[in-house]
Amino acid sequence: MEVAALGLLVLGVGLAEPVSRALADARWPARDPVGALLVWQSVGLVGGLALVGACAVYGIAPLGPDLRSVLAVLGADPGAVLAVGPSHLLGLALGLGLVCWLLGVTAATTLRTLRARRRHCDLLDVLATPWPAVPGTHVLDHAAPVAYCLPGRRSRLVLSVGTLRALDPAQVVAVLAHERAHLRERHDLVVLPFVAWGATAPFVPGMVRAQIAVAALVEMRADDVAAAHTRPAELACALRTVGGAAPAAALGSFVTALDRRLDRITSPPAPLPPPVSVLVRLAAAALVALPPLVLLVP
Amino acid sequence: MFVTHLQVGDTVRRHGADPVTGCVRPGAVRVALRDVEVQSAKRRIGSVPNLGELERAVMERLWAAPGSLTARDVQEGLTTNPATTTVLTVLSRLQRKGLVTRERDGRAHHYCAVGSREDHVAELMNVALDTATDRSAALARFVGSIAPEERARLRDLLG
């Protein structure tokens, strides 16, 4: 059992740092954002499960040679878990603490997000004018060009007057298609665990990179959806107008990242060949199966 | 049009019946019917466009006023001529959302907008612009999913 615990630990640490880093630096995700997002989801899920599992398995290791015998011992006498000795009890406590931490941080992030969204929505209700031409779209009276979506049950698409002035109708349609893709595919939920876990482990640069990479992939996916409905040049031009209004556009790194993303719209990289893309999805699924395998194989 | 008898009875008892005699005041019935219509419409379509428009109109009225206003002042300034109870409902909704404060002055309640229109627009734009600014992508395009201190930390980490 100690070997299984060690295996899970190696898996968890490996996913949290070198694998996350390599995946964040890889170039292929731009060619298959959906596949890359699936891989990220399973890296996140399995990374968390493996670390918690490593602590728990180490904790119960003295009770038996494999999981089945341990479960039989615990089923007969749950109190036996106290007899594992101080270092193994510490392992159990660590695992429990990690679970509470991960779930707590996710819950706190969710609550904070919901509260901020409700406040934003309440303000939009009294400040923004519903745009009759496009149902669900609200216009905010401000000169700076912004366009964004507010996900959730009361989801909104918001454009500023500045955006309507700066863009021609086809470009407005393109921006709305991009934002609508975020809403329809619930990209906020895709990003949420990574935001929460990035907050859990800010000292692990791999986790922070994961957060940023997932956010970038979600944008690429929305670009792809929007580009299918509009002319790519219009979309790129419109997104540059809206993105370039931000104060951070003064930062070189931001502009470089935006440029790279917009180049991807006008001259898209070749999508991954279908067999490779299938392989990516299979790898994501196989990764999820890894922790149970480590536990079950003696 | 959306009224059922049971709802009319309920609402009239709540708003319009004289507590001593049990008689129904005629004006109250009109008010109650209007309320029932609003409530039925709410049930029917999930959200009430009229209520949203009314909220906006009430806030515009409060923002335009130099000081605080009573519900009657608010009502008189509205072009759509809504019922008093409707105005009170809207004011209490706005109060619950933290957009309006209520103060008691003798027998009357005075309502006042919290912050100017410009303050609130600035708040929205700050959130919106900040969401559009994240380096590699709109990291917090999803409003509120990232706290300011986290944002600062991310900036530090990424240089």
Side-chain angles (χ1 to χ4, degrees), chain A residues 112-113 119-120 122-123 125-128 130 142 146-148 179 182 195 202 208 212 215-216 219 246 248 254 257, chain B residues 56 59 63 97 99 120 123-125 128-129 132-139 141-142 144-145 150 153-154 157-158:
Chain A
R112 196 171 58 219
T113 307
R119 165 79 180 164
H120 202 95
D122 287 345
L123 283 177
D125 279 346
V126 295
L127 288 171
H142 198 280
V146 295
Y148 62 97
E179 298 300 335
H182 282 315
V195 172
V208 180
I212 292 162
E219 293 302 325
F254 171 75
Chain B
R56 258 197 314 283
M59 285 310 293
W63 279 323
K97 292 176 179 179
L99 297 169
H120 292 309
E123 183 184 336
L124 287 183
M125 287 299 287
L129 284 173
T133 54
D134 281 289
R135 53 264 63 242
S136 52
L139 180 55
R141 175 146 233 120
F142 315 105
S145 58
E150 289 167 17
R153 208 189 51 234
L154 273 175
L157 272 169
L158 295 166

Side-chain angles (χ1 to χ4, degrees), chain A residues 159-210:
Chain A
L159 299 173
S160 66
V161 168
T163 302
L164 292 178
R165 277 206 199 108
L167 302 182
D168 62 37
Q171 290 174 326
V172 172
V173 169
V175 166
L176 287 176
H178 173 99
E179 298 300 335
R180 203 170 278 128
H182 282 315
L183 289 183
R184 200 179 37 237
E185 300 184 355
R186 289 311 302 258
H187 289 168
D188 56 316
L189 297 180
V190 175
V191 172
L192 184 78
F194 291 92
V195 172
W197 300 334
T200 315
F203 40 84
V204 185
M207 299 283 269
V208 180
R209 278 163 186 275

